[in-house]
Amino acid sequence: MIVLGIESSCDETAAALLEDGIVILSSVVASQVPVHQEFGGVVPELASREHVDNICFVVEQCLNQADLDWKQIDAIAVTRGPGLMGALLVGMAYAKGLAYALKIPFVGVNHLEGHMASILLDHPQAEFPALALVVSGGHTSLFYLQEAGNYQEISKTRDDAAGEALDKLAKYLGLGYPGGPIIDRLAPQGNPKAIAFAIPQTRANALDFSFSGIKSAALRHMQQNHIEAVENPEEVPERILDLLASYQSSIVDQLLNRLKKALKIHEVRSVQISGGVSCNNELRRRSRELFARPGLVVYYPRPQLTTDNAAMIAAAAASRLQQRAADSFGLTADPNLKLN
Ligand code: KG4
Ligand code: ZN
């Protein structure tokens, strides 16, 4: 079975062709980074317009790369939410139109389910029950999965997502966008113990996340120490490197702290960390050191599948489509779509 995946929930227009739920025949991602770069974050209206401009080309390129014909597509999987409404609508309208024209089924997919499925593309035998952390620019949520596909959200961020906090500090410091990969690259040159950022306590649910406090603390640190945006992102002074190292390290501290607490409550056989921030080197290294042991495996997606892509969307829909499930054309995009 060949599934066309489509993803347009935020600032990447992506399409992928996936065979039998596991083999990526092609995967194309049109990034909008250059469009949003000058604003230091995603501008929703610009994102929608870019998706409209890119989607036909991205899908055609995907077919060309896989050397396939329209008629060889068996089904379509498309991100239905959560995400930016205007952006989601472009993918949904395209997917429905194409499914109608080709007379094939289409299914709507939750974006977070897609991120979690990105791990299964390389590790189809990943053990369950599992704890799954989705950590990206728009989301920081922790799920307990009794088995594959059975999601129970046990906590999420109260305010910003971890990736958003990384992107914001990089923006204040004039380092570029998106900030996560830039901080990942620069942090090893600084001292992670230079500035002490506290791990927030989230009272109602101790497993919830919060990143707005550390973002404000970093801003305060910049003001108090008269730190301004860099003039040349290639020449970053030592005290900014120290700030970046301390900031990244405290964000990783919080993610690991919540996972550690959750592992005390839930007996699981694997920890699965996905989403854009799961590419982060410090997070990968420290989580493996802390959690990997006999009986507990720590999984990540391959780096190219950590940020938004459509292979993960097709993968998340594969088992439903193999059971011949299909959504009706009445299905609508939902910017606040919940999972479970
Ligand atoms: O999964 P994604 O593409 O979009 C959302 O679903 O939100 O994640 C994008 C986020 C951005 O905030 C970006 O800064 C962050 O992932 N990111 C990273 C790294 N690569 C991307 N954060 C830390 N380290 C990285 N290497
Ligand atoms: Zn995402």
Side-chain angles (χ1 to χ4, degrees):
M1 170 181 251
I2 293 175
V3 176
L4 170 68
I6 293 175
E7 155 63 37
S8 72
S9 66
C10 189
D11 61 342
E12 328 273 5
T13 319
L17 286 156
L18 192 70
E19 189 170 13
D20 297 333
I22 197 86
V23 184
I24 303 175
L25 302 175
S26 60
S27 175
V28 178
V29 180
S31 166
Q32 301 182 4
V33 164
V35 177
H36 303 288
Q37 208 153 26
E38 64 174 297
F39 305 99
V42 179
V43 183
E45 182 54 30
L46 291 182
S48 314
R49 291 174 195 211
E50 284 292 306
H51 288 307
V52 171
D53 284 350
N54 292 338
I55 194 151
C56 296
F57 171 74
V58 165
V59 175
E60 279 160 22
Q61 209 184 0
C62 211
L63 282 164
N64 285 340
Q65 280 184 12
D67 203 16
L68 289 182
D69 196 69
W70 295 103
K71 295 207 169 64
Q72 289 170 282
I73 306 172
D74 295 306
I76 301 177
V78 57
T79 305
R80 195 192 151 203
L84 302 168
M85 187 54 162
L88 289 166
L89 279 174
V90 178
M92 284 288 283
Y94 181 93
K96 285 187 202 175
L98 189 60
Y100 184 78
L102 296 175
K103 299 189 173 53
I104 55 175
F106 95 97
V107 292
V109 172
N110 184 301
H111 184 77
L112 276 73
E113 186 177 11
H115 276 300
M116 289 186 263
S118 68
I119 289 177
L120 304 179
L121 280 166
D122 285 325
H123 306 284
Q125 307 302 337
E127 298 81 359
F128 290 88
L131 275 174
L133 173 67
V134 182
V135 58
S136 69
H139 313 279
T140 306
S141 291
L142 188 56
F143 294 87
Y144 171 73
L145 285 82
Q146 178 67 45
E147 62 221 20
N150 180 350
Y151 309 99
Q152 182 190 343
E153 190 180 62
I154 55 177
S155 72
K156 59 176 190 243
T157 181
R158 298 276 181 87
D159 38 60
D160 297 342
E164 195 179 348
L166 291 165
D167 294 342
K168 283 278 159 58
L169 182 62
K171 178 182 170 180
Y172 299 146
L173 290 168
L175 294 171
Y177 168 84
I182 300 170
I183 296 180
D184 191 4
R185 178 170 54 82
L186 293 172
Q189 298 170 43
N191 173 9
K193 298 204 181 332
I195 304 147
F197 292 112
I199 300 183
Q201 305 299 323
T202 41
R203 268 163 219 262
N205 178 356
L207 295 180
D208 271 352
F209 302 86
S210 168
F211 296 99
S212 67
I214 175 183
K215 199 178 70 185
S216 310
L219 253 187
R220 248 188 337 269
H221 175 87
M222 284 176 65
Q223 283 158 356
Q224 282 163 359
N225 294 278
H226 310 289
I227 294 177
E228 299 201 336
V230 296
E231 276 168 18
N232 178 0
E234 297 309 314
E235 280 175 33
V236 182
E238 196 176 322
R239 58 193 196 136
I240 291 189
L241 293 171
D242 286 349
L243 170 59
L244 296 177
S246 304
Y247 189 75
Q248 175 178 281
S249 168
S250 96
I251 287 176
V252 173
D253 283 346
Q254 185 184 155
L255 296 171
L256 300 181
N257 169 281
R258 300 317 197 242
L259 273 171
K260 210 166 149 184
K261 284 185 189 159
L263 282 168
K264 290 198 176 126
I265 304 168
H266 299 276
E267 205 167 307
V268 297
R269 296 173 64 211
S270 69
V271 172
Q272 305 182 8
I273 307 180
S274 60
V277 180
S278 76
C279 203
N280 186 268
N281 285 293
E282 184 179 346
L283 176 61
R284 287 188 176 218
R285 179 178 52 76
R286 289 180 54 197
S287 57
R288 287 219 164 99
E289 281 168 11
L290 200 60
F291 303 129
R293 54 179 174 255
L296 187 64
V297 192
V298 182
Y299 291 108
Y300 288 96
R302 72 179 93 153
Q304 311 90 284
L305 295 179
T306 54
T307 46
D308 289 349
N309 65 86
M312 68 183 198
I313 302 302
S319 66
R320 249 192 302 157
L321 284 167
Q322 269 149 11
Q323 292 154 22
R324 310 239 167 265
D327 282 320
S328 85
F329 286 110
L331 189 80
T332 52
D334 181 350
N336 302 310
L337 187 64
K338 297 278 177 285
L339 188 61
N340 65 5

